[in-house]
Amino acid sequence: MRRLARVLATLALSFTPLVAFADNLTAFTLDNGMEVVVLEDHRAPVVVHMVWYKVGAADEAPGVSGIAHYLEHLMFKGTDNLAPGEFSKVVAANGGSDNAFTSQDYTAYFQRVASNRLELMMQMESDRMRDLVLDGTDILTERQVVLEERNQRTESDPGALFSEQRNAAQYQNHPYGIPIIGWKHEMASLTLDDALSFYRTYYAPNNAILIVAGDVDPTEVKALAEQYYGVLAPSENLPPRLRPQEPPQLAERRLVFEDPRVAQPYVIRSYLAPERDAGDQEKAAALTLLAEVLGGSSQTSELGRRLQFEEKTALYTSSFYSGVSLDTTTFGVVIVPAPGVTLQQAEDALDVEIAAFLERGVDAAQLDRIKMELRAALIYAKDSVQSRARAYGMALTSGLTLDDVAAWPEILQSITPEQIIIAGREVFNRNNAVTGWLTAPVGEMSVPEVSQ
């Protein structure tokens, strides 16, 4: 039912022509299904132009992991109108900057330029949305680039390899368990047909959201969007975003990852946790505050004060949660043991403190301070048009609506200490947890050995 409600809420997003919202925001939809959001900010003559595709690594077909990120790279190759690499050169020649990024739930491309260069950005971005030109040479050279990126960011970093293995254990059926960059053995065999099939299916106006933020007029943006994006044909074979879901988990999953390059061992545990859903964000707000109360600051959080400064069993503690996700996300806790403390002792101390916190409850003064900090952070984030555009893009491609984004700050402020404890008791279910130890092999590090 929750998935059905999310689909219905997304369909009712209300991107009708030039609908004005609070926060200097205007939204409309082109006839071909492309959604457009305009965020006005006239303090500087600059504009951020972003195209968000509602497809990410979790939407890949089995056996071609990494194709979403790979295509992101290939999008900087040529079209009939632009030579390979010319896109970014034109942006730079006009005094701007550009880049792209891929997540499990979306792929986004952006340029930051002077506001009088917006039309040029729309012309080039719309050109590569449906007119990308690839050949066998592009595939081979860029495939080597992404393989080298994996070598540098993952294979050379034991923490990254550890994280990859933990995610795979966390999600045994859902594609969130597959790394965004892809499994190396599958990346090495990606083909031109794989890239073109993914591109032709998902890179279409009816699967995209255009966000324009900065010194612009919504009426002018609408005219430009209709001129450049509105003429593009929608994808007729766009599949619904229905991913395999996790079955009920009946036991905790544990792993010990050993690597001789590890200098500092630590324990991390992540639990499956609900995401922010359209029209239903209260539980996610409670978990957001729980992460701050429990482990947001080493100096003032519950874990930091107790384990780092009072008991001195930890060098570092933290907790984390990100609710912006199309499907079930995770809530996590981390502890880095102090010298002389084993990983088992650190894990035990972490469990004892979490249980004690759930019994004594949330300190009201601490919660008030955290709420004030979060309110200030959301206000300060509005100073950056790029940050605002990114926040809306992440939300809208993850199943939320404009109204959900607008309501989020006040929902955070409305959460009570009791709601936080209830959310904590629900999420701290060891059957839904993956507990991992990262350490060097016995005898290969100077810190105390792990007790098995």
Side-chain angles (χ1 to χ4, degrees):
M1 288 299 294
R2 191 176 72 179
R3 290 180 60 80
L4 176 60
R6 180 196 301 153
V7 171
L8 293 175
T10 302
L11 291 174
L13 199 53
S14 296
F15 280 91
T16 51
L18 289 179
V19 175
F21 293 79
D23 205 23
N24 290 326
L25 184 153
T26 305
F28 55 91
T29 300
L30 303 180
D31 290 342
N32 58 12
M34 187 173 189
E35 300 161 3
V36 185
V37 175
V38 182
L39 299 166
E40 292 182 76
D41 189 326
H42 301 287
R43 291 176 294 176
V46 297
V47 64
V48 173
H49 172 266
M50 308 186 84
V51 171
W52 293 73
Y53 292 97
K54 291 181 278 189
V55 63
D59 300 295
E60 297 166 341
V64 291
S65 64
I67 192 66
H69 172 255
Y70 185 24
L71 182 58
E72 175 208 313
H73 280 246
L74 293 173
M75 284 289 284
F76 290 88
K77 300 300 181 181
T79 68
D80 288 334
N81 300 315
L82 293 171
E86 187 178 357
F87 190 107
S88 294
K89 290 179 182 178
V90 171
V91 174
N94 282 271
S97 60
D98 73 318
N99 213 327
F101 46 89
T102 304
S103 82
Q104 293 285 11
D105 295 321
Y106 52 77
T107 310
Y109 301 82
F110 70 89
Q111 304 86 40
R112 180 182 174 90
V113 293
S115 53
N116 62 1
R117 298 295 191 273
L118 175 61
E119 181 174 2
L120 178 61
M121 298 304 105
M122 284 201 186
Q123 179 184 351
M124 294 196 300
E125 192 68 79
S126 63
D127 181 35
R128 67 176 175 179
M129 178 180 283
R130 296 302 258 170
D131 192 31
L132 187 65
V133 175
L134 299 176
D135 59 31
T137 302
D138 293 328
I139 293 297
L140 293 176
T141 56
E142 207 62 39
R143 189 172 67 190
Q144 193 57 44
V145 169
V146 295
L147 282 167
E148 184 57 33
E149 181 180 337
R150 181 183 167 87
N151 286 335
Q152 293 179 358
R153 296 186 178 184
T154 305
E155 303 294 339
S156 64
D157 182 353
L161 289 170
F162 177 48
S163 176
E164 195 172 77
Q165 292 298 306
R166 288 189 298 102
N167 284 336
Q170 188 89 65
Y171 296 99
Q172 294 190 342
N173 194 50
H174 193 286
Y176 283 170
I178 301 172
I180 293 171
I181 199 168
W183 296 118
K184 190 172 184 178
H185 68 287
E186 293 184 348
M187 295 168 62
S189 61
L190 294 175
T191 67
L192 175 61
D193 286 343
D194 294 330
L196 288 176
S197 176
F198 196 85
Y199 172 72
R200 290 166 179 161
T201 299
Y202 294 107
Y203 278 54
N206 54 325
N207 198 43
I209 300 172
L210 170 65
I211 299 182
V212 178
D215 186 25
V216 293
D217 176 79
T219 303
E220 295 176 1
V221 172
K222 187 173 187 295
L224 290 173
E226 289 175 337
Q227 178 181 352
Y228 291 104
Y229 291 105
V231 297
L232 301 178
S235 178
E236 296 181 357
N237 61 336
L238 188 64
R241 299 191 82 181
L242 299 175
R243 286 96 167 254
Q245 298 299 303
E246 285 296 296
Q249 297 186 4
L250 305 179
E252 180 183 3
R253 299 161 187 171
R254 301 184 63 89
L255 67 151
V256 176
F257 190 90
E258 294 185 345
D259 191 301
R261 296 170 294 180
V262 174
Q264 176 61 67
Y266 61 86
V267 179
I268 181 169
R269 181 184 297 134
S270 55
Y271 303 82
L272 290 178
E275 75 282 6
R276 284 170 61 183
D277 284 321
D280 183 15
Q281 301 185 92
E282 284 73 16
K283 187 170 292 185
L287 291 172
T288 300
L289 291 168
L290 174 64
E292 293 296 321
V293 170
L294 195 61
S297 164
S298 292
Q299 288 73 35
T300 60
S301 68
E302 298 291 330
L303 294 179
R305 288 188 295 110
R306 306 278 178 170
L307 300 181
Q308 293 177 235
F309 296 102
E310 295 179 14
E311 298 181 13
K312 301 187 185 303
T313 55
L315 293 176
Y316 172 79
T317 58
S318 183
S319 59
F320 56 89
Y321 169 75
S322 177
V324 181
S325 175
L326 188 64
D327 294 314
T328 300
T329 185
T330 57
F331 186 103
V333 289
V334 183
I335 182 167
V336 178
V341 178
T342 68
L343 290 178
Q344 185 63 64
Q345 290 169 336
E347 182 184 338
D348 292 343
L350 183 67
D351 288 336
V352 168
E353 182 50 39
I354 290 174
F357 162 73
L358 293 176
E359 288 299 318
R360 66 175 175 263
V362 178
D363 179 84
Q366 181 195 20
L367 180 59
D368 288 342
R369 176 184 55 77
I370 289 172
K371 285 183 176 181
M372 183 65 69
E373 290 174 351
L374 290 176
R375 183 184 289 276
L378 290 171
I379 293 173
Y380 294 147
K382 294 182 179 180
D383 289 338
S384 168
V385 292
Q386 188 160 322
S387 293
R388 288 181 66 204
R390 184 160 182 156
Y392 276 98
M394 289 175 60
L396 297 175
T397 52
S398 299
L400 298 172
T401 69
L402 294 173
D403 288 336
D404 293 321
V405 177
W408 179 247
E410 293 309 315
I411 291 176
L412 281 173
Q413 297 299 316
S414 72
I415 299 300
T416 66
E418 292 75 21
Q419 287 175 290
I420 294 173
I421 295 300
I422 290 172
R425 293 187 185 279
E426 291 179 358
V427 81
F428 292 134
N429 177 357
R430 294 288 282 271
N431 285 344
N432 288 332
V434 173
T435 302
W437 291 6
L438 177 65
T439 184
V442 173
E444 296 192 25
M445 61 190 302
S446 59
V447 298
E449 310 299 349
V450 177
S451 60
Q452 300 287 345

